[in-house]
Amino acid sequence: MHVRCLRSERTLAQPDAHYELERQLDVGLPIMSWFQSWTNGWLTTQARQAESTGHHLLICLEPALDSGVGVPFTDILAGKWDRRLARFFHGAAQHGPGVTIRFAHEMNMPQYPWSVINPRSSAPSLDLWLDTWRYVVDRQRAIGGNVRWQWCVNSIDIGSMTGTFAGLRVVGSYGLPVRTRVVGDSSALLVGETPGAPVELRAVEPSI
């Protein structure tokens, strides 16, 4: 397992907050991270600011609208969002330091509309979930650029991460948010499920 904790994580796209954290820690954090809903396109202003300081972007692309309503995976797979995705991926392709996209993260947590264990999931079957994940990656790769994809599960798991791995063809790294009381079992399950590529600890949250 290869572990990296080289970035900050912000809910909003705020490069200045990242720079302030670097200043406070007196250390460079080469990966800048933020979350984006399906409603938002490529954030050109923020991305250019990050590029000017050589920061790689890690973008959590959530298949849900700003309202919190999940985007049906059947619609994504049917190509109804292809134009919006293409615009986003063209922006990512132009980001020189590179981009990692964390799509439909923590699908093993029931509160997310795209979760495989949410009873009202926007992806009501595992096959649909996997097919859509691969479809979105293929749309990006048709455009190109220094972009890779991260499969991210939550470390608090009840076994539902098993079977959701989309395959080494489309996954470049694995993300795992860590809490010290559960990392042992969860990291072992993650590596057992997804051998062959680096694991990134998304955040370290000590439990007391």
Side-chain angles (χ1 to χ4, degrees):
M1 180 189 298
H2 174 64
V3 176
R4 296 186 300 150
C5 291
L6 300 173
R7 64 188 175 86
S8 69
E9 183 166 283
R10 299 285 175 177
T11 300
L12 301 176
Q14 298 175 328
D16 288 341
H18 181 98
Y19 302 141
E20 175 60 18
L21 180 60
E22 289 182 321
R23 187 193 67 78
Q24 292 179 13
L25 297 176
D26 192 27
V27 65
L29 299 169
I31 303 174
M32 188 181 297
S33 176
W34 61 68
F35 289 76
Q36 285 191 224
S37 76
W38 207 250
T39 305
N40 299 320
W42 182 253
L43 301 180
T44 301
T45 300
Q46 294 91 328
R48 285 178 177 170
Q49 187 176 358
E51 184 173 29
S52 72
T53 49
H55 283 83
H56 183 98
L57 293 178
L58 174 55
I59 298 176
C60 183
L61 184 60
E62 300 182 320
L65 305 178
D66 280 346
S67 63
V69 175
V71 175
F73 276 36
T74 50
D75 288 353
I76 300 173
L77 195 57
K80 293 182 179 180
W81 292 92
D82 280 3
R83 289 185 180 180
R84 182 180 291 270
L85 285 172
R87 290 194 294 269
F88 183 88
F89 295 146
H90 277 292
Q94 295 171 18
H95 189 76
V99 177
T100 297
I101 300 174
R102 183 157 53 109
F103 174 60
H105 70 295
E106 299 180 28
M107 77 302 291
N108 56 327
M109 298 297 284
Q111 68 267 32
Y112 294 119
W114 56 84
S115 168
V116 295
I117 56 174
N118 185 324
R120 293 187 292 274
S121 177
S122 55
S125 76
L126 181 57
D127 285 344
L128 175 62
W129 197 93
L130 291 168
D131 288 345
T132 304
W133 221 97
R134 294 165 182 150
Y135 177 86
V136 171
V137 174
D138 287 342
R139 300 285 74 70
Q140 178 274 314
R141 289 184 174 168
I143 292 170
N146 182 15
V147 177
R148 68 174 187 168
W149 291 80
Q150 183 177 100
W151 179 79
C152 177
V153 296
N154 193 286
S155 60
I156 300 177
D157 186 73
I158 58 173
S160 56
M161 72 171 70
T162 303
T164 62
F165 178 54
L168 288 173
R169 181 182 70 82
V170 294
V171 173
S173 67
Y174 317 120
L176 180 68
V178 174
R179 294 160 182 82
T180 55
R181 286 185 299 199
V182 298
V183 61
D185 292 343
S186 297
S187 60
L189 178 56
L190 179 67
V191 173
E193 176 74 7
T194 61
V199 172
E200 177 182 346
L201 298 186
R202 182 174 63 83
V204 177
E205 303 173 8
S207 298
I208 297 174

